[in-house]
Amino acid sequence: MATELYDLTVPVFVRGLRALSGLLDKGAAFAGEKGVDPLTLTGAQLIADMKPLTAQVQFACDTAKGAVTRLGDLEPVAMADTEQSFADLQDRIARTIALLEAVPREKIDGREDAAVVLKVPGGEIPFTGRSHVLTFSLPNFYFHITTAYALLRQAGVPVGKMDYLGGV
């Protein structure tokens, strides 16, 4: 039996977002234990021209919800990018997971060859459902989770591979 597109998206995104939530929990605990201003961590950047931790979480959430709404031919769900605190970021993750879990399997499965268009500030990028998931959404999603992990790790937060993987 072939793996269905739903199985490559919703549960994968939910698992990754839960792992990201766990990373943020460790970041918040670290800030409290070490007396570090939490906004220092949520505003951390790897380098000046990269977005901070808050944006990495926003992008991971946006990638997951965007992939699923585009695949399912559903209305996009906007979320304002106003998060600053760990609590704000956790709320965004929770809202994204709730959105993902509300999408019925039948809206995703069978859309492997459907036309999916990603609108970007300079135009549009055409995909099939399958190529959108495999060549854009999953790599982009994991890029932002990995970057969030790296930001916390660089700041001294005691996170490791198992935290990133979500406790397998």
Side-chain angles (χ1 to χ4, degrees):
M1 181 173 158
T3 300
E4 300 287 349
L5 202 53
Y6 182 93
D7 295 325
L8 295 174
T9 55
V10 174
V12 173
F13 290 140
V14 168
R15 181 181 175 88
L17 289 171
R18 287 189 175 136
L20 180 57
S21 175
L23 294 170
L24 295 178
D25 281 341
K26 287 202 167 188
F30 175 83
E33 291 165 10
K34 301 293 184 185
V36 174
D37 180 356
L39 296 180
T40 300
L41 293 179
T42 61
Q45 297 170 266
L46 289 176
I47 192 164
D49 67 349
M50 276 186 87
K51 299 285 186 184
L53 178 63
T54 52
Q56 302 306 324
V57 174
Q58 292 161 352
F59 294 153
C61 290
D62 289 350
T63 298
K65 70 183 176 68
V68 170
T69 56
R70 280 189 286 280
L71 285 170
D73 200 24
L74 303 166
E75 281 298 312
V77 177
M79 291 184 183
D81 295 334
T82 58
E83 297 85 8
Q84 295 297 313
S85 70
F86 282 110
D88 294 341
L89 294 171
Q90 292 287 16
D91 178 65
R92 186 177 184 125
I93 290 170
R95 287 183 291 129
T96 303
I97 289 172
L99 181 149
L100 296 172
E101 290 179 333
V103 175
R105 175 181 279 276
E106 56 273 8
K107 289 298 245 176
I108 306 295
D109 284 346
R111 303 258 313 147
E112 290 78 8
D113 296 320
V116 173
V117 177
L118 177 63
K119 295 179 180 170
V120 294
E124 298 179 341
I125 305 171
F127 294 98
T128 63
R130 180 183 299 104
S131 69
H132 179 61
V133 169
L134 297 176
T135 67
F136 178 79
S137 296
L138 288 174
N140 193 52
F141 179 72
Y142 282 114
F143 171 85
H144 293 296
I145 290 179
T146 301
T147 303
Y149 169 89
L151 286 163
L152 292 169
R153 186 76 178 104
Q154 180 185 39
V157 177
V159 292
K161 185 175 185 178
M162 294 308 287
D163 298 303
Y164 173 84
L165 294 174
V168 189

